[in-house]
Amino acid sequence: MKATLRDVAERSGFSITTVSHVLNDVPGKRIAPDTRETIRRVADELAYRPNQLAQGLRRQRSGTIGFLADSILTTPHAHKVISGAQDAAAEAGSMLLLVSTDGRPELEERGITAFLDRQVDGIVYAATYHRIVTPPPSLRARPAVLLDARTDAAEYPSAVPDEVGSARTAVAELVRAGHRRIGYLGNVDDIPATAGRLAGYRQALAEAGLPWQPAWEVAEASESTGGYRAARAVLDRPDRPTALFCFNDRMALGAYFAVQDLGLAVALDVSIIGFDDQEIISEGVHPGLTTMRLPHYEMGQWGIRTLLSLIDAPSDGPYDPVHFDCPLVRRASVGSPRG
Amino acid sequence: MKATLRDVAERSGFSITTVSHVLNDVPGKRIAPDTRETIRRVADELAYRPNQLAQGLRRQRSGTIGFLADSILTTPHAHKVISGAQDAAAEAGSMLLLVSTDGRPELEERGITAFLDRQVDGIVYAATYHRIVTPPPSLRARPAVLLDARTDAAEYPSAVPDEVGSARTAVAELVRAGHRRIGYLGNVDDIPATAGRLAGYRQALAEAGLPWQPAWEVAEASESTGGYRAARAVLDRPDRPTALFCFNDRMALGAYFAVQDLGLAVALDVSIIGFDDQEIISEGVHPGLTTMRLPHYEMGQWGIRTLLSLIDAPSDGPYDPVHFDCPLVRRASVGSPRG
DNA sequence: ATGAAAGCGCTAACAC
DNA sequence: GTGTTAGCGCTTTCAT
């Protein structure tokens, strides 16, 4: 059915070895130009494609990378990590074996085992949001990188968003629009983004010489209803801020509903800036939400490239996490304060 | 490093053959119970795991399935297809090689070629939403199934949502709540869901003996702003409906904003029911959106199971697409009409 | 009840 | 310039 090296050899009249040599462009082989041509032609006619199982077995390189995601479900925008990874892998002739553990930790071990059984060249361990993780020891069996995640021991190369810097960028945008009373709708999760974005908010205020008001800084559950409550808490005050920086887009969505319930208008009365750029929200909301885009695609690409070079040239760490900037995506939720 | 069959053989004092026999439980082999036990123990001690590349090469079965998605990006809830597929694959000791073409058709051929090079046992071709597709001819090279997609020729087993029936279920829910003036916020795309959901809407109206009003049935772009415009068009009328069935959740989101801009309240003044159950929207919106859940996880599972049995027992079709019901997910956007 | 040998499709030393 | 040979790690006749 599918043509093999042997078929090409027989049909061209040369040995399997010679065929392999020319098809792989093995350097330092003296092969007659005619031979090269003939072999190439025959291979073409037969639509020959190397069997990667056989190739992998022989070369000890499967051309396959294991991608372990803790969840591709809950946070949709995270799929761009996979997209970036896939594109970078394709560039290098590699492919992704995918396992999503969906928060079931017992699937981690099993997934890695399955990867190892298939002789993956390396593994990327991707979290859905910036987290400190403790991957199973079996991850050590192959070169690995962490995405949106890091360990305390820094034993793997890892990429994470720059929480502090990006939060500063967001608040600076509000300052630039003329706001002097800026609130922060924060979250209560025990994750790096919590402290990071809060710190960025405060730093930006300080840099702009703006007052920090404890009452404008509130923490709630990091989803829509939490955002609603947080926004109400801040906006119900007489000295309410004219702009709100939100921990994420879901909270910003809740803030939209709060603003409307108060008879106010987003951008006109209250400027809002989110975080994540979850397009369903940021583009779906009315007016469009200005927000910080998580650099998922870029991290995915970086992950594979880093992994690939690690495979070619193993090294031992420790590795400082590399921080990725979140670009500001301007839409229509930021205006100038009234009066 | 990793233990091989040979290691187990040497350490246990038996031949590779015998070891293979016991580890694979080859039927019809008379092997001493003691031997079995020893071999098993040694394999355990060495943490032996078969090399699937070698196994695959020999058995002509890679234990790997190619998953080609036209886009895992744009429609986040579709990832549940992958989740269902992965779970079903894991059950059968198989794994998914993933390629997402993200609307770049040239990646289809390349992806399939890459699958074939890696000797996948089968391929699932998954669309992001119910579509008529024309997969590249190379798909024929292996058993394949279609998800959320079908071809005119019905050459592959395929699964699609039951658009008509599910729309009827949605409207029936509105009827059950007491509504007699029910509008439809439809879309303008040339896809099966367009005609299907519209037909379901009309059928449900007829079944309930309710009047069909051309003015209550409007078509717009199937995203948030389209939903907003559509809702305004219907709601601005004096004889406005008390309930709205929306083509999808994104349009429903737009409808929420329209209702609010008119000083009305969702559920109280206008009941809304969506389609898709995109959780970011349906759970993020205030009040929560009642909607029809697309059976993505189930279709993913079905796809792999069907594919696996096709691999074991090839057959030729044609195959009638199988239709999956969309379950109703009740939240808080449906109330009884006033007065 | 166990094992030798061939071979899946390929690559890489090492001849000649 | 080209080919022989020996595996990569495994399964599978076929002997014994």
Side-chain angles (χ1 to χ4, degrees):
Chain A
M1 179 76 244
K2 269 195 78 181
T4 71
L5 250 203
R6 179 208 208 100
D7 295 328
V8 180
E10 279 172 2
R11 185 109 110 107
S12 65
F14 292 93
S15 74
I16 288 188
T17 311
T18 306
V19 174
S20 171
H21 284 341
V22 351
L23 260 23
N24 288 309
D25 274 323
V26 179
K29 293 285 162 188
R30 221 152 305 282
I31 290 169
D34 276 12
T35 307
R36 293 204 118 84
E37 205 190 321
T38 316
I39 290 180
R40 290 237 164 77
R41 187 175 40 70
V42 173
D44 246 47
E45 285 167 13
L46 263 34
Y48 168 76
R49 304 233 85 214
N51 179 326
Q52 293 229 32
L53 251 40
Q55 226 172 23
L57 183 59
R58 183 61 239 233
R59 289 196 180 147
Q60 304 289 42
R61 254 257 205 177
S62 63
T64 260
I65 288 171
F67 193 105
L68 190 79
D70 65 350
S71 161
I72 55 166
L73 291 178
T74 41
T75 319
H77 55 305
H79 308 253
K80 295 196 174 167
V81 180
I82 297 183
S83 206
Q86 180 198 296
D87 289 351
E91 261 172 32
S94 209
M95 279 200 109
L96 301 185
L97 276 166
L98 180 77
V99 164
S100 161
T101 60
D102 292 331
R104 293 169 290 180
E106 73 278 12
L107 290 190
E108 279 199 356
E109 284 271 4
R110 275 208 268 156
I112 293 179
T113 304
F115 287 156
L116 263 18
D117 289 350
R118 282 165 184 84
Q119 314 294 117
V120 295
D121 299 327
I123 298 178
V124 0
Y125 184 99
T128 307
Y129 56 87
H130 187 170
R131 287 198 300 138
I132 312 289
V133 296
T134 54
S138 49
L139 191 61
R140 300 251 51 153
R142 289 269 158 179
V145 301
L146 271 28
L147 259 29
D148 232 346
R150 51 200 166 85
T151 62
D152 287 323
E155 2 158 27
Y156 305 100
S158 100
V160 296
D162 176 7
E163 309 289 358
V164 181
S166 304
R168 280 167 55 186
T169 307
V171 175
E173 172 75 358
L174 261 10
V175 172
R176 197 174 311 120
H179 294 278
R180 300 195 45 82
R181 299 201 316 256
I182 301 173
Y184 178 56
L185 270 35
N187 64 320
V188 292
D189 315 290
D190 183 21
I191 56 176
T194 307
R197 296 179 195 173
L198 178 60
Y201 162 72
R202 290 181 181 173
Q203 282 180 23
L205 249 38
E207 279 163 17
L210 296 182
W212 172 72
Q213 284 279 21
W216 294 347
E217 187 184 288
V218 12
E220 270 286 2
S222 56
E223 25 80 26
S224 175
T225 55
Y228 182 89
R229 282 195 303 273
R232 290 298 299 248
V234 166
L235 260 19
D236 280 340
R237 308 174 50 86
D239 66 335
R240 64 178 163 78
T242 60
L244 259 20
F245 170 45
C246 304
F247 172 73
N248 66 11
D249 289 354
R250 293 159 78 206
M251 292 191 78
L253 176 59
Y256 267 63
F257 287 107
V259 168
Q260 278 163 337
D261 280 3
L262 290 170
L264 301 172
V266 170
L268 262 46
D269 301 302
V270 181
S271 288
I272 295 185
I273 188 158
F275 209 111
D276 285 0
D277 197 20
Q278 284 195 248
E279 284 153 10
I280 309 192
I281 292 177
S282 55
E283 289 176 354
V285 109
H286 198 81
L289 177 66
T290 292
T291 187
M292 307 306 295
R293 182 173 69 75
L294 251 10
H296 281 310
Y297 184 89
E298 292 78 2
M299 293 199 301
Q301 264 189 329
W302 177 92
I304 294 298
R305 290 183 183 151
T306 306
L307 188 55
L308 255 17
S309 61
L310 201 58
I311 291 165
D312 289 331
S315 85
D316 248 1
Y319 304 93
D320 285 330
V322 352
H323 293 263
F324 280 73
D325 281 336
C326 305
L328 173 72
V329 180
R330 288 197 177 88
R331 277 186 274 251
S333 61
V334 174
S336 293
R338 280 190 164 156
Chain B
M1 179 75 244
K2 270 194 77 182
T4 71
L5 249 206
R6 179 209 209 98
D7 296 328
V8 180
E10 280 173 2
R11 186 108 108 109
S12 67
F14 293 94
S15 74
I16 288 187
T17 311
T18 304
V19 173
S20 172
H21 284 339
V22 351
L23 260 22
N24 287 310
D25 273 321
V26 179
K29 293 286 162 189
R30 221 151 306 282
I31 290 170
D34 275 12
T35 307
R36 291 204 120 84
E37 204 191 321
T38 316
I39 290 180
R40 290 235 165 79
R41 186 174 40 71
V42 173
D44 246 47
E45 285 168 10
L46 264 34
Y48 169 75
R49 305 232 85 214
N51 178 328
Q52 293 230 32
L53 251 39
Q55 225 172 24
L57 183 59
R58 184 59 238 235
R59 289 198 180 144
Q60 304 289 43
R61 255 254 204 178
S62 63
T64 261
I65 287 172
F67 192 104
L68 190 78
D70 66 348
S71 162
I72 54 166
L73 290 178
T74 41
T75 320
H77 54 307
H79 308 254
K80 294 195 175 166
V81 180
I82 296 184
S83 205
Q86 180 198 296
D87 288 351
E91 261 170 32
S94 209
M95 279 200 111
L96 302 184
L97 275 166
L98 180 77
V99 165
S100 162
T101 60
D102 293 330
R104 293 169 291 181
E106 73 277 12
L107 290 190
E108 279 198 356
E109 284 272 3
R110 275 207 268 156
I112 294 179
T113 303
F115 286 156
L116 263 20
D117 289 350
R118 281 165 185 81
Q119 313 295 116
V120 295
D121 300 327
I123 298 178
V124 0
Y125 184 99
T128 308
Y129 56 87
H130 186 170
R131 288 199 299 139
I132 313 288
V133 296
T134 54
S138 49
L139 192 61
R140 299 250 53 150
R142 290 270 158 178
V145 302
L146 273 27
L147 259 30
D148 232 346
R150 52 199 165 85
T151 62
D152 287 323
E155 2 158 25
Y156 305 101
S158 99
V160 297
D162 176 8
E163 310 288 358
V164 180
S166 304
R168 281 168 54 187
T169 306
V171 175
E173 171 77 358
L174 262 9
V175 171
R176 196 174 312 119
H179 294 279
R180 299 195 46 83
R181 301 200 315 256
I182 300 174
Y184 178 56
L185 271 33
N187 64 319
V188 292
D189 313 290
D190 183 21
I191 56 175
T194 306
R197 296 179 194 173
L198 179 60
Y201 162 71
R202 290 182 181 171
Q203 283 180 24
L205 250 38
E207 278 162 20
L210 295 182
W212 172 73
Q213 283 281 22
W216 293 348
E217 188 185 286
V218 11
E220 271 286 1
S222 55
E223 24 80 27
S224 175
T225 57
Y228 182 89
R229 283 194 303 272
R232 289 298 298 248
V234 165
L235 260 20
D236 281 340
R237 307 175 52 84
D239 66 334
R240 63 178 164 76
T242 60
L244 259 21
F245 170 45
C246 303
F247 173 73
N248 66 13
D249 289 354
R250 292 159 78 206
M251 292 191 78
L253 177 59
Y256 267 62
F257 288 107
V259 168
Q260 278 165 336
D261 280 2
L262 290 170
L264 301 172
V266 171
L268 261 47
D269 301 301
V270 182
S271 288
I272 296 186
I273 188 159
F275 209 112
D276 285 359
D277 197 21
Q278 284 195 248
E279 284 154 9
I280 308 194
I281 293 178
S282 56
E283 290 178 353
V285 111
H286 198 78
L289 177 66
T290 292
T291 188
M292 307 304 296
R293 183 173 68 74
L294 251 10
H296 281 310
Y297 184 89
E298 292 79 1
M299 294 201 299
Q301 264 189 330
W302 176 92
I304 294 297
R305 290 182 183 151
T306 305
L307 188 55
L308 255 16
S309 62
L310 201 59
I311 291 166
D312 289 331
S315 87
D316 249 0
Y319 304 92
D320 286 331
V322 351
H323 294 264
F324 280 73
D325 282 336
C326 304
L328 173 72
V329 180
R330 289 198 177 87
R331 277 187 272 251
S333 61
V334 174
S336 294
R338 279 191 165 155

